[in-house]
Every structure is written in C-alpha cells, then in structure tokens.
Amino acid sequence: MPSWLNRSQLLLMATLAVVGIAQSLSGRLDSYILSVAMGVGINIILASSLNLINGFTGQFSLGHAGFMAVGAYTAAVLTGRLAPQWSPLFGGQVFLLFPAALIVGGIVAALAGALVGAPSLRLKGDYLAIVTLGFGEIIKVIFQNLEFVGGAKGLNGIPDYSNLLWVFGTAAITVYTVWALLNSSYGRGFLAVADDEIAAEAMGLNTTRYKMVAFVVGAFFAGIAGGLFAHLNNSINPSGFDFNKSIEIVVMVILGGMGRHIGVILAAILLTVLTEMLREFGDYRMVIYSVLLILLMLTRPQGLFIWPTRKAARRQNA
Amino acid sequence: MNKTGLQLQQVTIRFGGLTAVSQVSAEIHPGELAGLIGPNGAGKTTVFNLITGVYAPTEGNITFGGAPLAGLKPFEITSRGIARTFQNIRLFGSLSVFDNVRVAFHLHLKQGVFPSLARGPSFHREERQLAEQTRQLLDIFQLDRVRDEPAKSLPYGDQRRLEIVRALATQPQLLLLDEPAAGMNPAEKVELMKLIQFIQDRYKLAILLVEHDMKVVMGICQRIHVLEYGRKIAEGTPSEVRENPAVISAYLGQQPDAAPVQS
Amino acid sequence: MTELLQQVINGLSMGAIYALIALGYTMVYGVLRFINFAHSDVFMLGAFVAYYTARAFGRWGFVMGGYLGGIAILLLSMTACAVVGIVIERLAYRPLRRRSTLTVLITAIGVSLLLQNGGQLVFGVNPKAFPDIFPSSTLNLGGLVINSNQLVVLGVAIALLSALHWIVQHTRIGTAMRAVSFNATAASLVGIDTNRIISFTFGMGSALAGAGGVLYAMNYPSIEPLMGNSPGLKAFIAAVLGGIGSLPGAALGGMLLGFVETGVSGTRWSTFRDAIAFAILIGILLFRPAGLLGRNRVEKV
Ligand SMILES: Nc1ncnc2c1ncn2[C@@H]1O[C@H](COP(=O)(O)OP(=O)(O)O)[C@@H](O)[C@H]1O
Ligand SMILES: [Mg+2]
C-alpha cells in the first residue's frame, strides 16, 4: 500500500466501494426501504456535520436546518430551473451535473455559514443557540417570500437524482472529513476551544477562526445534505426546514454523545428508523417523541452510546 | 524579546466601582526572573490578565519588545512571545496530557484544514516532529508517563506542572506563572522552583512569578514587585524588599517570611 | 393624526401582552440562567383554560359577559398556568439543576414540543373562536376606533405589572427572589430556600404568561395549540432587548416590540414580521448584549 494512504483513507475507499456495489444492486430493493435508507444517510451527514460545530467545537447551533435549506434550494434550482442553461456544460450527464449542483449548494450554504458564524461567534451558550435559531428562521422566511422558488408552497418536480451511491458516498466523506480534521495537531484545537476558550486563546489559538471553520465546514455538508434531500423527496418547501428540523438534528448529536463519531452515526440511524416506526402512531408520534426526548435528557444526558470503561481510550482516538 | 522587555506604564483597571489595579508601572527585563507579590486580592492575577489581553486597561499602556499590546487579542499577544499559566487551573480537561501540550504548538504549525484532510507526507512528518517535541517537554516535568490520561484526572500538582509545560510549548520569551506552587508541599515546592530555574536558563526566558511563600520568592527572584490594594508599594531586590517598611506593614506587620500562605 | 393615535393604541396593547410574557422569561432567566422554551406554550394553555372555563360558565348558567365573570376566568387561567409552571419545573428542570445549559435547553424544548403536540391531540388542531369574556364594545372617539377589549388589556396589564413590582420590591419573598438572581450560591448560604424561590418564580411567571394568553386571545379572537410560538418569540426578544434578568427591561422591551410590530404590519414588510423581530434580536445581542437596561458583567479569569 502506498505510504501516503493511511488506514482511515483506506477505510473511506472501502466504504465507497461497498456503497457502489450496494447501488448497483439497489434495483432489487424495495423502494420504501431504499428511501428510508437514503434518509438514514442524509441524517448521518447532517448529524456528523453538526457534531463538528456542537459536539467537538462546543458551540451551540440551532440553525442547521437553515443551511440545509440553502443547499436544497440551490441544488434544486440548478438541476431544475437553470438546468437548460448550464447542463450542456456537463454534456447533460446527470452523474456530472448532479454532484456539481450539490457542491454549489454546499458552497452557498457554507457562505451562509460564514455569514451566520461571523457575528454569532461573540456569543456563547443559549445566546448563541437563539441567534442561530433566529438566522435559521430568517432563512426560512426569506424562502417563503421568494416567488422565484415557489414562495411558501416551495418547489415541486425536482428530479430524483439521489441514490445510495451519492447519499452514502457523501456520508462517508463527511464522516472522514470530520474525523480527519480532528485527528491532527491542528484539529485538536477544536476540542481545546470546546474545553476552555480563554485558555485556548492564551495558548495562541485563534478561537474565532476555529469556530468559523467549524461553522463553514458544518454548513457546507448540511447544504449538500439539503441537495440530496431535495433530489430524494422531489419537492421541498420552507417549512420543512424549520426549527423542528434543526432540533431533530441536535437531538441526534446529543443522543450520540456530543463529539463522538460513531455514537452520532448510530443515533442518526436509530432516530431515522424510530421516526419511521412512530408513523404508525399517527397523531401520537410527536407526543411520544417529545416524551422520549425529555426522559432521555433526564436519564442519559451524556448520550445513549457511551461505553464508560473504554471512555478514556476512545477519547484518545476520537 | 529584544532589549526592552515588558513595560507597564501607569496601568489602571476598574471593575465598576472597584479599582483592581491602580497606576501600576513596572518593567520586566529580558531573561530576568522577577517576582510579583502582595496579599490576596492585591491585583496580581488582574495584572496578568491585563498583560495577556484578557482585560483591556482602563488607563495606561503595556508594551512588549517596544511594541504596544493595546487592542491585540490574547492569541496575538501569545504570538508576540508571552505565555501564562492560570491561578485557577484552566487545562483542556477532556484532552489527554499529550494533546494539551501538542495543541499549544499551534502558533508554530504549518498544517491547517486541508493538510489535515489530505494527510500527505509532510503532514505526517510534522506530526512526528511535534510528538517528539511534546515528549521532550513532558519529560522535563516527568509527565510523559501520564501522557494518555485526560488532564482533568491528574493530581493537582501534576495539573499545575502541566500548565507550565503547555505554556512552554507556545515557545514564549516571557512566561507568567500565577501561583504555580499553590497546594504543593514544601518538598514539591523546592522541586518545582528548581525546575523553573532550569527552564528559565534552558529556554532563555524572562519569568514573572506570583508566589506567596516568601522564602521561595526571596530565594529565586532577582527582582520583586509588591502590590497592595492594586497599587505598587515597592520594587527592588529581595533584600531591599524585605527591609521595606511598607512591605512589612502590608504583611500585617509580620516578618515577610512569616507571612501566611494564601491561596 | 388619528391614524397615528390608533397605531399607538394598538402598539400599546400588543406591547403590554409581550411585556407580560417577557417578564416570565426574564424572571426564570434571573434565577436559573436558562431560557424556558416552554414558556410560550404555557401562554397558549392560558388561552385554552379561559376558553373552556368560559364555555363551562356559559353551560352552568353563570352570568357571562360581565366584568366579574371575565376577571374570574382570568384568575382561574392564571392559577392553572401557575400550577402547570410549577409542575414543569419540578418534574423536568429541577432534576437537571447541575447539568449543562445544553441539557436543560433541550429538555425545555422537549417540554414545549410535548405541550404543543399534546395540545393538538387534546384540543384539536383547528383554530377555535375565542368568546367575549369581557363586555365588548367599540368606542368611537372622533374617528379614533377603540375596541373596549384593548382597554381591558391595558388595564389588566398595568394592574399585573404593578402587582409584580410590589411583590418583587416590597415583600420578603420578592427580596429573596432578587437575592437568588443576584447570586444563587450566596443566597442559599444565608439560608434562603432556593428551590422554593425558584418554584415561586415559575409560578408567577407562568401566571403572567397565562394572563397574557387570555388577553391575546381576546384581541385575536381565535386560538390554536401552536399560537404561542410567534408571541413567545417576540416576548423573548423583548426580554433580551430590555436586558434579560431585568424586570423593567422586560416591560420596556415588550412595549418597544409591540410598537415595532404594529408599525411594520400594514406595510409591505408585514410578511417579514418574524424575520424583522429576529433581526432586532441579533442586532442587540451583537451590539449591546446586556440589553437596554441590563448590566454587563466581565467574566472573572
Ligand atoms: N472580572 C472581575 N470583575 C470584578 N472584579 C474583579 C474581576 N477580576 C478581579 N476582580 C477584583 O480585583 C481584585 C484583585 O483581584 P486579583 O487580581 O485576583 O487579586 P490577586 O491575584 O492579587 O489575589 C479583587 O478584589 C477581585 O475581586
Ligand atoms: Mg491571584
């Protein structure tokens, strides 16, 4: 094996290969299962990217759905409305056009992240939470008032380009990015900022810059997740990206144990599947969800997936 | 640090009605081991916070190497070559001992976001170098044996020493130590002071030391600054300060070396 | 001119309601340092309690439409909300006293979701017409049209604000409350039973929110389980605007926000109402985080 390829990168490639195989077999899968699986993948992207902001860097963003919305709308407009103009650039090939649209969506979301991050970073704790919540809602209101993208009704007829390969490929890349970012001397700075900002500054870390990087990278992947979601669901509207969606993602991060890679992935899987199962309960679904949430905070605020005995060791490889 | 060192000129800070530091002037010369003493609440920690940019002075100027520090963020001041420890320990509690130190090399890192992702050969080379430098620093303070423990699980004395190691990793020219020996027994204290003299010599540091134990301060400091109620009441060599009536009365009329150890 | 006066009156009555809710946010923040997300849903419950009591009163043949009946309904709602507030604190927040802000905040969000979704189950999702619980008439003063309900809103709000001011400034328990919000540890060291004070604070804040809910419903005569979201948000912003933790600040912030909102509605920006409120919030937090009447505190290092 070439020396510049380390274990994590090999793991990433192996995952991508497995996803590729799964995709080629997906024709035989039940379409409901397939869409739930993709929902899982999208939530892994959302939760892992928010984990960088809220878990590892110790910030408290409640606006992740807003970044998702920006990416979703951007990508949907690119593959729908603007496709005639620029899809020829890609020879009309979906496998080129779609990722390009996703990435542009991610970049626009990252810009939104910078915009939100810049002023918010002076705030802490619940104040930061409220301001990011506010930005998320402002983004929603802006889309509601943009007739170009359907106003409150949103966009319909978005092509269903999302598939297992795109979704889980992106999920793998997201997880790798967050992992690799943290597992370096540079990246340990995120954890230091989370532990003690004043000490981090005193050790020469530009804490504002770290928080900014976390926001921008987190928003970028949330934007891509939004694009994938739009092309899975075929329709999007502003209220789908409201405060409740942000909370859903925050809950995954908390359940997963805040700043734990695997825990957060497991939580994303668990919650997506649980939400599907709760559909049976119809009107009671959200009531059950909220009761579970409260009970969880009261009994296991440290998350569901903590193995105490191996805690120290896990921190080491976090 | 060039010839001019650290200079405080008529520095004052008020918190609401309280003047915590009042018209303090002082100079710390390059390579000097200076002491900062005074009763509890005299404003010693506040002086450190002013120097490192945690607080901005209400009045007065602070310069380092001739350049004013006003308006700089704490991390920029650190990048000018001033590092510190905290009286109420502020380690990165959930990080390992090793990571606490390695993070503090930040100012001298070449890597950033993209190298961390690409993890090419130069990234790995730098990580290996840092690991080695970190190990050496930890070794001086005999902390290498606990390198994988989370910092918050260390005994108190080790935490204080780790704070010094971490500050050294920023490669400062001036090191501010805020009661580094607090909570240690006399033997540990002597040990620590030897180490402080050792690193001062080895890294050609200027050190400003806050410490309550007069014997210790008198023993190792070349120059001592005395604060009381935010004002500077004396400055001089240990023997000058020891004889100074204002200093004696500040310590309740006791012999300075009989002053109680305060937290 | 009359139009301006009209706006002033609308702004005042809206602002008074925001002020009542904002006080609850600010009092709880004062003693516990967290944002009680469920506060706006207690507000909603206040309106529903009034709705069902008014119907029950009607069925039992109580005199409806008199001022006494209205006041009775208002007091009942306030009491019910106070109880709900105290129970929520007891069951959901007290066990988390030493936990991180994040845990408490998420719990509060959980409680809020529970009240909203539980409300949708119990009360139904469709808006209900809110009855006239006070005698309602329209006064026409030289072109100036005032609904008597607006005057009731103002009157009740002023009465409650004065009562609160009196309690906080002139009673033992009010003094204890101020002590706890100044420094909870020190307060408990001098023998103040902080848990009791916190319960009391929740009770009072929730009662005010309940009153706010009833008054709001009187002016916007339809209610539904999610009705708390938007006014709750505005009230929270009002609390921050005034300086969270400061009671006069909350009242001032509420009034200001009421005016801004009446000013915006009727213009082409009205669909951006919530966004504008948030923009104000963000602006304040960035440029004057302590709010208009709050005090800045420097973190001790
Ligand atoms: N952030 C702050 N806000 C208010 N008062 C402060 C702050 N920081 C320090 N003080 C006050 O300044 C005075 C000096 O404190 P400090 O510098 O910690 O003393 P020392 O380190 O000499 O014991 C004390 O009265 C302390 O309470
Ligand atoms: Mg001190």
Side-chain angles (χ1 to χ4, degrees):
Chain A
M1 118 183 157
S3 66
W4 49 269
L5 263 187
N6 56 27
R7 285 226 317 269
S8 55
Q9 282 161 335
L10 281 177
L11 194 64
L12 173 63
M13 297 203 173
T15 313
L16 292 179
V18 171
V19 171
I21 296 167
Q23 171 58 29
S24 63
L25 298 175
S26 66
R28 301 186 196 172
L29 283 176
D30 179 64
S31 70
Y32 172 73
I33 303 234
L34 205 58
S35 81
V36 173
M38 285 194 255
V40 166
I42 289 171
N43 280 337
I44 291 177
I45 303 171
L46 289 168
S48 291
S49 58
L50 184 64
N51 197 18
L52 175 62
I53 304 173
N54 286 16
F56 293 110
T57 318
Q59 303 304 296
F60 194 171
S61 170
L62 282 181
H64 222 49
F67 303 137
M68 190 187 173
V70 171
Y73 273 96
T74 309
V77 166
L78 286 174
T79 57
R81 296 266 164 113
L82 297 183
Q85 280 91 316
W86 75 313
S87 112
L89 284 180
F90 301 95
Q93 296 291 335
V94 169
F95 74 94
L96 295 174
L97 171 70
F98 184 44
L102 288 178
I103 289 172
V104 175
I107 291 172
V108 178
L111 290 177
L115 214 65
V116 173
S120 312
L121 298 178
R122 288 161 52 185
L123 303 167
K124 290 197 175 68
D126 38 13
Y127 278 99
L128 177 63
I130 294 294
V131 165
T132 51
L133 187 166
F135 273 116
E137 293 291 299
I138 290 175
I139 290 175
K140 187 185 90 183
V141 173
I142 290 175
F143 281 123
Q144 272 168 349
N145 286 280
L146 276 184
E147 284 313 315
F148 172 66
V149 291
K153 288 196 297 292
L155 287 174
N156 291 309
I158 304 167
D160 49 358
Y161 291 157
S162 286
N163 60 29
L164 283 181
L165 181 63
W166 293 129
V167 170
F168 281 92
T170 313
I173 291 172
T174 311
V175 173
Y176 172 80
T177 302
V178 176
W179 179 90
L181 206 48
L182 288 154
N183 273 280
S184 64
S185 294
Y186 166 80
R188 281 302 192 248
F190 292 99
L191 302 175
V193 170
D195 265 7
D196 190 329
E197 253 180 64
I198 288 178
E201 279 269 331
M203 294 310 124
L205 277 67
N206 184 344
T207 55
T208 312
R209 173 101 138 258
Y210 269 105
K211 291 191 263 181
M212 196 67 169
V213 170
F215 261 94
V216 168
V217 173
F220 174 78
F221 284 108
I224 293 192
L228 289 165
F229 172 79
H231 293 83
L232 168 65
N233 224 31
N234 310 124
S235 75
I236 48 176
N237 63 63
S239 55
F241 303 103
D242 64 358
F243 170 60
N244 287 328
K245 181 69 194 172
S246 292
I247 292 296
E248 222 175 88
I249 311 168
V250 169
V251 170
M252 290 174 193
V253 174
I254 293 181
L255 260 186
M258 298 278 290
R260 281 163 203 283
H261 299 276
I262 304 292
V264 166
I265 295 172
L266 292 178
I269 298 172
L270 180 76
L271 272 177
T272 320
V273 174
L274 187 73
T275 313
E276 281 306 315
M277 285 177 3
L278 284 178
R279 264 187 220 292
E280 257 179 60
F281 295 91
D283 293 343
Y284 289 89
R285 186 173 76 99
M286 281 308 289
V287 175
I288 298 174
Y289 179 82
S290 46
V291 171
L292 285 180
L293 181 58
I294 297 168
L295 288 181
L296 195 90
M297 285 299 106
L298 289 175
T299 55
R300 281 196 73 86
Q302 74 277 40
L304 275 187
F305 308 101
I306 305 286
W307 296 272
T309 47
R310 292 178 53 206
K311 206 164 152 185
R314 290 164 44 76
R315 215 12 168 164
Q316 192 50 32
N317 317 318
Chain B
M1 177 161 41
N2 58 33
K3 305 126 265 171
T4 43
L6 177 80
Q7 272 187 320
L8 294 130
Q9 292 152 350
Q10 314 263 301
V11 174
T12 299
I13 185 169
R14 280 185 280 272
F15 297 110
L18 175 91
T19 307
V21 171
S22 177
Q23 301 286 324
V24 168
S25 297
E27 185 163 1
I28 311 296
H29 303 281
E32 152 183 81
L33 207 175
L36 179 63
I37 64 171
N40 232 350
K44 305 178 295 291
T45 299
T46 306
V47 166
F48 276 21
N49 286 333
L50 287 164
I51 296 172
T52 54
V54 175
Y55 302 149
T58 318
E59 291 158 25
N61 293 308
I62 304 174
T63 61
F64 185 61
L69 299 181
L72 294 184
K73 298 221 179 98
F75 83 89
E76 292 168 321
I77 292 179
T78 310
S79 75
R80 301 283 174 94
I82 302 180
R84 72 176 291 182
T85 66
F86 294 89
Q87 178 180 358
N88 49 343
I89 302 175
R90 300 189 83 125
L91 289 167
F92 306 122
S94 70
L95 265 63
S96 68
V97 167
F98 179 77
D99 280 345
N100 264 274
V101 180
R102 133 166 113 123
V103 141
F105 279 105
H106 182 79
L107 287 168
H108 311 280
L109 276 184
K110 289 189 210 70
Q111 59 176 263
V113 173
F114 292 105
S116 297
L117 296 183
R119 298 178 110 70
S122 66
F123 167 86
H124 287 291
R125 204 176 316 120
E126 184 173 34
E127 289 288 23
R128 271 195 304 274
Q129 267 168 16
L130 275 187
E132 177 55 22
Q133 282 174 294
T134 301
R135 195 192 58 73
Q136 283 174 6
L137 277 181
L138 284 172
D139 245 3
I140 298 179
F141 286 78
Q142 283 156 22
L143 286 167
D144 202 39
R145 65 199 150 80
V146 288
R147 64 198 310 247
D148 293 333
E149 304 288 323
K152 62 167 174 265
S153 72
L154 295 189
Y156 195 69
D158 281 353
Q159 292 198 11
R160 289 223 172 270
R161 288 169 339 138
L162 179 55
E163 273 227 342
I164 302 178
V165 179
R166 187 180 66 168
L168 281 177
T170 68
Q171 303 174 18
Q173 294 154 324
L174 170 64
L175 179 60
L176 311 175
L177 300 174
D178 200 348
E179 306 199 16
M184 295 186 177
N185 66 35
E188 287 171 331
K189 245 182 216 182
V190 171
E191 184 75 13
L192 181 69
M193 293 305 148
K194 275 195 197 133
L195 271 175
I196 288 176
Q197 283 177 307
F198 172 77
I199 56 169
Q200 186 211 9
D201 184 56
R202 160 127 182 223
Y203 297 104
K204 306 284 173 272
L205 289 173
I207 292 180
L208 182 58
L209 172 72
V210 172
E211 167 57 44
H212 279 294
D213 189 326
M214 289 301 150
K215 262 200 206 98
V216 169
V217 177
M218 302 284 167
I220 73 170
C221 292
Q222 292 141 11
R223 217 172 165 72
I224 296 174
H225 304 258
V226 190
L227 288 183
E228 187 190 20
Y229 296 122
R231 286 173 205 287
K232 187 155 146 184
I233 57 168
E235 177 190 337
T237 62
S239 51
E240 283 164 8
V241 165
R242 201 197 315 264
E243 305 302 326
N244 187 312
V247 177
I248 295 172
S249 78
Y251 281 90
L252 301 168
Q254 298 169 337
Q255 286 300 308
D257 55 7
V261 175
Q262 285 160 320
S263 60
Chain C
M1 185 60 208
T2 39
E3 197 171 316
L4 187 70
L5 259 176
Q6 184 80 58
Q7 293 281 27
V8 168
I9 292 189
N10 292 345
L12 270 177
S13 55
M14 196 67 248
I17 293 172
Y18 289 158
L20 286 177
I21 319 172
L23 284 166
Y25 280 115
T26 252
M27 287 197 290
V28 167
Y29 195 89
V31 293
L32 282 183
R33 301 278 180 274
F34 93 98
I35 297 163
N36 180 14
F37 256 83
H39 191 62
S40 59
D41 305 297
V42 173
F43 161 93
M44 171 274 289
L45 284 181
F48 272 94
V49 172
Y51 171 84
Y52 285 107
T53 335
R55 290 215 331 195
F57 275 20
R59 219 173 303 126
W60 299 335
F62 278 129
V63 248
M64 267 300 294
Y67 279 96
L68 270 182
I71 291 177
I73 291 175
L74 187 67
L75 288 178
L76 251 163
S77 283
M78 289 174 64
T79 315
C81 288
V83 172
V84 171
I86 291 172
V87 169
I88 291 176
E89 192 276 325
R90 222 15 189 282
L91 295 183
Y93 304 153
R94 188 168 300 181
L96 300 176
R97 225 22 87 65
R98 278 176 227 309
R99 292 280 166 66
S100 72
T101 330
L102 185 108
T103 309
V104 187
L105 190 68
I106 297 293
T107 310
I109 289 171
V111 173
S112 166
L113 287 177
L114 177 62
L115 292 178
Q116 289 179 11
N117 293 292
Q120 290 188 326
L121 268 185
V122 177
F123 308 136
V125 287
N126 294 325
K128 297 185 176 356
F130 194 78
D132 276 332
I133 58 172
F134 282 95
S136 166
S137 56
T138 312
L139 314 173
N140 195 330
L141 306 172
L144 183 64
V145 186
I146 304 176
N147 187 318
S148 62
N149 275 344
Q150 289 186 316
L151 296 180
V152 173
V153 167
L154 273 179
V156 171
I158 291 172
L160 289 175
L161 292 181
S162 321
L164 178 73
H165 180 78
W166 184 78
I167 292 177
V168 171
Q169 295 297 331
H170 299 287
T171 64
R172 275 182 71 95
I173 196 150
T175 312
M177 240 179 86
R178 281 183 288 145
V180 172
S181 65
F182 188 72
N183 184 339
T185 330
S188 70
L189 285 178
V190 299
I192 293 174
D193 178 355
T194 45
N195 276 334
R196 202 172 68 96
I197 300 302
I198 289 167
S199 283
F200 179 75
T201 308
F202 265 88
M204 263 201 334
S206 304
L208 293 179
V214 179
L215 299 179
Y216 186 86
M218 281 165 49
N219 271 356
Y220 294 78
S222 88
I223 60 175
E224 47 99 15
L226 304 185
M227 67 182 275
N229 282 340
S230 168
L233 173 68
K234 309 291 170 43
F236 171 74
I237 294 172
V240 176
L241 176 60
I244 199 147
S246 151
L247 299 184
L252 174 70
M255 286 297 174
L256 284 179
L257 218 74
F259 279 110
V260 169
E261 189 164 283
T262 13
V264 171
S265 60
T267 72
R268 60 189 216 85
W269 292 102
S270 63
T271 47
F272 282 94
R273 246 187 0 213
D274 287 7
I276 290 173
F278 264 119
I280 293 177
L281 172 72
I282 293 167
I284 300 177
L285 285 177
L286 295 176
F287 299 109
R288 202 179 152 78
L292 297 176
L293 302 184
R295 275 212 201 93
N296 249 322
R297 289 190 186 177
V298 189
E299 190 186 350
K300 237 175 174 171
V301 174

